[in-house]
Amino acid sequence: MIPRATYRLQFHKDFNFADGARLADYLAALGISHVYASPILAARAGSLHGYDVVDHSRINPELGGEEGFRAMAAALRAKGLGLIVDIVPNHMAVGQADNGWWLDLLEKGRDSVHAASFDITWDAPGLEDRVLAPFLDGRPDALWAKGDLKLVRDAQSGKWAFAYFGHRFPLRPEDQTMTEAPTDWAPASRLLARQHFVLADWRQADSRINWRRFFDVTDLAAIRAENPAVFEAVHAKIFALYGEGLIDGVRVDHVDGLADPRAYCRLLHRRLSALRAGPYLLVEKILAENEHLPTDWGVHGTTGYEAMDALSSLLHADDGGALETLWRAVGGKSFEQEETEARQELLDTSFAAQRNAVLRAIQAAMPGTSEQALRPALAKTTAALRCYRGYVTGEPDTPPLAPPLVTALAPGLRPLFDDRSGAAATVEAVRRFHQLTAPIAAKAVEDTAFYRYGRLLSRNDVGFNPRRAFLSPADFHARILARATDFPHAMVTTATHDHKRGEDTRARLAALSASPALWRDFVQAARGCDGIDPSDTYILYQTLLGAWPDQADADFAARIEGWCRKHLREAKLRSSWRAPNITYEEAFCRFARRLVLDRAMQDFRDRLTALLAALAPLAEANILVQAALRHTLPGVPDLYQGAEFLDLSLVDPDNRRAVDYAARRQTLAAPPAADAPLAARKQRLIATLLAARGADPDLWTLGSYEPIAAGEGLIAFARRHAGRTLRVIARCNGYLAGRATFTLEQPCRDLLTGRILPAGAAADLPREWPVAILTGAG
């Protein structure tokens, strides 16, 4: 079943399955065919996202449990809506006392039935046959003396464990016979030394950890989904729900974190198809420039980051390098330099222990090589790689080396990747290499360089290439044609729970590319702040411009302060998550708050308001064009929760705030008005296009994609199926003027205005919209 249109919902304890069920009538009226749900399986208590799963065998009780999920699914089905769910086969939440697999591992070590569930390097120097548990804030002896680390006995199981606040570290079975806990550190330390785990300060994780994490998050441990028993356990509940018809497909989180994404996806497709024909299967995959998703994975495509990037690029004008010049004037570096430096830093810090494990694995696969030779080769390769990973496996049937990996590989590593013998050591070394480069790419690009590079923030988002300032219509067409050929039913999205800025925040900022002189004048007139780095100030000004609401109040100021802290810590230049510079953070937040609220900063706000007014015609056109193209291009349009109104959000948690559905219901039910605000016009545009999609799903789902030369500043294409045609014309690349240069062969009706255009008429845009959506024969 191919969805007509999906609607992403972020479930958590304050927005649960019952809340989702209550939206069924609204989503149906909007024209949605499927709810696209965040992870539904049991996650850590209080989770706001669901990606910290602790038990794959049951549905999250905080969301309503199985009963609540079934009730929601029934409510959705009653309105003709299906369900796609997000699954997390890469990792689980660990630490605390809520993951049975992890607790069993700590208790029994290599004898645990779950020893093979996690990716543990059992021969790591200094930790042989034990698991590092870096969850303490200090040394064990000091914490014991303070009374924070202690021995406790569980009232239900009767088992002894070391306890550190909410964490539990179970003792070995042979130590469970003691009747009372030691009170002195000497006997307690001897007891601790006998366990299958080693307690450590959380700060030692990066350099000592001997199990693979999700990125560099110590609370999330990678799991081995390539292990058949793990695969079945992780997917059993999802298979049951799909087989019963309660869900229609899945989205696989971070597919590049898996050992062999191709093998995993093929197996997942087979298992789902054996239960019920026609699963809709997507992968979260960030494609690098000129990288293409392999067509032999058995999936319908990606969740749409590359489509989001293409749409964003199309909205931008060619500023001739003016914005890069302004960025360099405040001390900024090129994006290429920022990415390279971030990759080098992270390999030597956050991923030092994992890097060392990879080096040992490569040495085992390439006898005679030395760490002295391999270390710089690995560093050079990871710094130069411009994609997440390759898919070569070392097996005889391996896919070929991806071009970005061929370009980046240091000569000393090439023999490893040319080996097709299937030797266990080779396969293991290649796997470990891929599972190192993928998280380094994510952390270096999305979570570091995107926060350091400030040429134009609308080009810094998940899956984007900031080196490319814009796309011409011809280049845009080429990308969409390639995507439609290989994956015609992939998702088309412009906002996600992971985006750095909301879709309309980006669309507004994109207008700056057409008016760099206005931005230059604004920045030059704005006041900086003593003690705040000019690059931070420059990025703050863009953030305020992109997210500025109709009324900037204390709530908005608080949102900006939250962004300020995250910006600084992710950039890792003047503060970081591991070593927060509270003094600098507070100074930056105070400056931001003054810009928003302080009376003395009214002149700044007046200039900002004037700039917004000057940019408004193009910004509003960008917002509407982006929404229109998302719903008319080949693929499944996805709407992020609440983004049918204006989405001027920032990075999470700001983009996961509660949505005012009462206002959206009321606006959708109201008759259209000529003077409706932009949010209402955007929602009406989306509803109109989804209604047309529902009325003729074959044309919108199966129709061809045929570029049309439309004239400067315009993008146009036709989609044809069974004698029916959809034609789309829209403004792009920062233009607000210009007329289409082609005529219509057949009479057409404009979906947005109702006007009828006769055959031979110019395919021009209506006065009130920056886009025309024309239907007719031909």
Side-chain angles (χ1 to χ4, degrees):
M1 177 182 290
I2 305 301
R4 285 196 320 275
T6 58
Y7 191 96
R8 173 73 177 203
L9 288 177
Q10 291 293 120
F11 289 104
H12 48 82
K13 62 184 177 60
D14 297 320
F15 184 88
N16 57 29
F17 297 142
D19 296 305
R22 284 190 283 270
L23 290 179
D25 59 337
Y26 167 71
L27 296 178
L30 188 60
I32 298 300
S33 71
H34 285 71
V35 164
Y36 166 32
S38 60
I40 63 169
L41 299 183
R44 177 147 287 162
S47 175
L48 296 177
H49 47 76
Y51 291 97
D52 43 1
V53 176
V54 295
D55 186 351
H56 288 95
S57 70
R58 58 193 176 98
I59 295 178
N60 196 338
E62 282 196 341
L63 306 183
E66 182 127 1
E67 182 179 354
F69 181 79
R70 289 177 176 276
M72 181 181 72
L76 294 174
R77 295 289 185 202
K79 295 295 181 180
L81 297 164
L83 262 172
I84 309 295
V85 299
D86 203 337
I87 63 173
V88 191
N90 273 289
H91 58 269
M92 297 181 76
V94 296
Q96 304 294 325
D98 48 6
N99 185 332
W101 291 15
W102 179 253
L103 295 175
D104 192 75
L105 171 70
L106 296 183
E107 179 182 351
K108 300 170 185 172
R110 298 191 78 160
D111 291 334
S112 168
V113 294
H114 296 296
S117 299
F118 299 96
D119 194 2
I120 302 167
T121 305
W122 291 105
D123 60 352
L127 290 168
E128 292 82 357
D129 291 332
R130 294 188 294 172
V131 176
L132 188 73
F135 298 102
L136 308 184
D137 188 12
R139 299 193 321 272
D141 58 339
L143 296 174
W144 180 274
K146 288 174 61 178
D148 292 341
L149 179 64
K150 60 191 73 174
L151 277 159
V152 299
R153 193 171 196 175
D154 185 79
Q156 292 184 327
S157 68
K159 288 186 176 181
W160 288 96
F162 279 94
Y164 178 68
F165 296 101
H167 295 282
R168 293 295 181 271
F169 309 98
L171 302 189
R172 302 180 308 163
E174 49 267 58
D175 288 322
Q176 293 292 346
T177 57
M178 68 179 189
T179 56
E180 59 182 36
T183 57
D184 295 332
W185 174 242
S189 65
R190 290 192 292 271
L191 178 66
L192 178 60
R194 295 197 296 268
Q195 303 311 310
H196 296 296
F197 53 83
V198 175
L199 296 182
D201 190 308
W202 64 268
R203 297 167 187 84
Q204 297 181 21
D206 292 347
S207 60
R208 294 187 63 199
I209 201 163
N210 67 329
W211 41 274
R212 190 164 51 86
R213 299 172 289 182
F214 173 73
F215 296 172
D216 58 351
V217 183
T218 305
D219 288 340
L220 298 175
I223 54 176
R224 302 288 301 268
E226 69 272 23
N227 179 324
V230 176
F231 179 90
E232 292 301 324
V234 165
H235 297 87
K237 176 55 69 175
I238 296 299
F239 289 156
L241 296 175
Y242 179 76
E244 196 175 336
L246 293 173
I247 63 174
D248 301 303
V250 300
R251 174 257 202 197
V252 179
D253 180 58
H254 185 46
V255 73
D256 275 343
L258 297 165
D260 184 349
R262 179 179 69 159
Y264 168 87
C265 289
R266 287 175 166 181
L267 177 58
L268 181 63
H269 184 269
R270 288 197 303 272
R271 291 287 282 109
L272 289 169
S273 297
L275 295 167
R276 189 161 57 90
Y280 185 59
L281 183 54
L282 296 172
V283 293
E284 185 202 21
K285 160 68 181 165
I286 291 173
L287 294 166
E289 192 80 0
N290 299 319
E291 182 186 14
H292 302 282
L293 185 71
T295 57
D296 61 350
W297 285 12
V299 301
H300 287 93
T302 73
T303 52
Y305 293 134
E306 70 281 1
M308 182 167 140
D309 179 32
L311 280 168
S312 168
S313 300
L314 185 69
L315 299 180
H316 287 71
D318 179 2
D319 65 77
L323 292 174
E324 184 72 19
T325 299
L326 290 174
W327 171 240
R328 297 299 183 90
V330 297
K333 300 176 181 178
S334 70
F335 185 77
E336 182 67 22
Q337 186 174 354
E338 293 289 17
E339 178 177 348
T340 300
E341 290 179 2
R343 285 173 170 272
Q344 292 168 336
E345 291 168 16
L346 286 161
L347 182 67
D348 290 336
T349 55
S350 299
F351 295 93
Q354 190 175 344
R355 174 203 61 198
N356 294 340
V358 171
L359 288 170
R360 291 193 296 273
I362 295 175
Q363 281 185 280
M366 299 172 62
T369 57
S370 68
E371 181 178 336
Q372 185 177 6
L374 290 176
R375 184 181 290 265
L378 181 62
K380 177 180 181 296
T381 300
T382 54
L385 190 60
R386 289 298 178 263
C387 66
Y388 264 51
R389 58 169 289 168
Y391 300 105
V392 61
T393 63
E395 300 280 3
D397 64 346
T398 182
L401 272 173
L405 188 53
V406 172
T407 301
L409 265 181
L413 293 181
R414 186 60 191 256
L416 174 68
F417 293 91
D418 287 338
D419 187 348
R420 306 290 193 270
S421 67
T426 297
V427 173
E428 176 70 358
V430 169
R431 173 188 76 83
R432 285 185 176 274
F433 173 86
H434 292 321
Q435 289 179 318
L436 171 66
T437 65
I440 283 181
K443 296 301 294 182
V445 178
E446 298 157 37
D447 292 344
T448 305
F450 279 178
Y451 289 88
R452 295 179 177 181
Y453 181 66
R455 184 192 76 89
L456 185 57
L457 298 184
S458 49
R459 292 297 303 134
N460 294 10
D461 220 308
V462 181
F464 286 22
N465 179 10
R467 299 173 185 81
R468 177 175 18 84
F470 76 106
L471 269 183
S472 68
D475 289 337
F476 178 84
H477 286 314
R479 289 168 187 263
I480 299 303
L481 275 168
R483 192 173 192 261
T485 299
D486 291 341
F487 297 101
H489 306 307
M491 192 172 273
V492 182
T493 192
T494 49
T496 77
H497 64 285
D498 278 335
H499 66 229
K500 304 301 181 186
R501 286 157 200 89
E503 61 182 46
D504 301 326
T505 309
R506 294 195 312 272
R508 181 188 279 178
L509 286 170
L512 286 177
S513 64
S515 301
L518 288 179
W519 177 243
R520 178 201 62 210
D521 294 345
F522 173 81
V523 171
Q524 289 177 350
R527 300 175 188 172
C529 180
D530 291 341
I532 302 300
D533 191 272
S535 64
D536 289 331
T537 301
Y538 194 85
I539 289 173
L540 172 61
Y541 290 159
Q542 288 187 61
T543 300
L544 291 171
L545 178 72
W548 197 263
D550 291 336
Q551 296 293 327
D553 54 15
D555 178 68
F556 178 66
R559 290 173 53 204
I560 291 296
E561 288 185 74
W563 169 86
C564 286
R565 291 188 180 88
K566 183 158 187 174
H567 160 73
L568 293 174
R569 294 185 184 190
E570 294 286 10
K572 308 171 190 67
L573 294 174
R574 285 162 285 279
S575 189
S576 69
W577 294 107
R578 282 173 170 73
N581 183 341
I582 302 301
T583 301
Y584 187 85
E585 289 182 5
E586 290 302 322
F588 192 40
C589 288
R590 281 195 304 272
F591 176 52
R593 189 173 187 84
R594 288 175 57 220
L595 291 175
V596 176
L597 298 176
D598 197 320
R599 290 182 180 179
M601 292 295 185
Q602 186 60 49
D603 60 334
F604 171 86
R605 293 191 291 276
D606 289 344
R607 288 194 301 273
L608 182 67
T609 302
L611 179 58
L612 284 168
L615 297 175
L618 181 54
E620 293 180 8
N622 283 345
I623 288 167
L624 296 173
V625 166
Q626 180 174 243
L629 293 181
R630 182 177 72 235
H631 289 86
T632 53
L633 291 172
V636 176
D638 174 57
L639 182 57
Y640 183 67
Q641 61 178 27
E644 60 271 32
F645 272 17
L646 292 185
D647 177 13
L648 298 177
S649 63
L650 300 170
V651 71
D652 69 274
D654 189 73
N655 61 2
R656 302 174 191 179
R657 289 171 293 136
V659 176
D660 184 353
Y661 283 109
R664 286 160 175 76
R665 287 178 186 273
Q666 183 178 1
T667 302
L668 185 64
D675 60 347
L678 181 58
R681 295 182 70 206
K682 181 185 179 186
Q683 185 193 48
R684 180 63 56 183
L685 166 70
I686 292 169
T688 299
L689 297 182
L690 290 181
R693 196 178 189 97
D696 191 354
D698 287 351
L699 171 61
W700 295 68
T701 302
L702 305 176
S704 61
Y705 182 83
E706 302 172 17
I708 300 173
E712 191 174 32
L714 292 170
I715 182 87
F717 57 89
R719 302 195 61 197
R720 304 179 198 273
H721 181 76
R724 304 182 304 284
T725 302
L726 170 72
R727 295 176 180 85
V728 178
I729 312 130
R731 300 209 179 276
C732 65
N733 292 144
Y735 283 82
L736 283 174
R739 299 176 62 86
T741 58
F742 69 97
T743 56
L744 300 170
E745 321 95 67
Q746 301 290 337
C748 292
R749 176 177 178 269
D750 190 330
L751 289 176
L752 299 181
T753 65
R755 63 180 179 146
I756 304 297
L757 284 74
D764 214 350
L765 298 177
R767 178 181 56 82
E768 57 269 55
W769 293 94
V771 59
I773 316 292
L774 310 176
T775 58

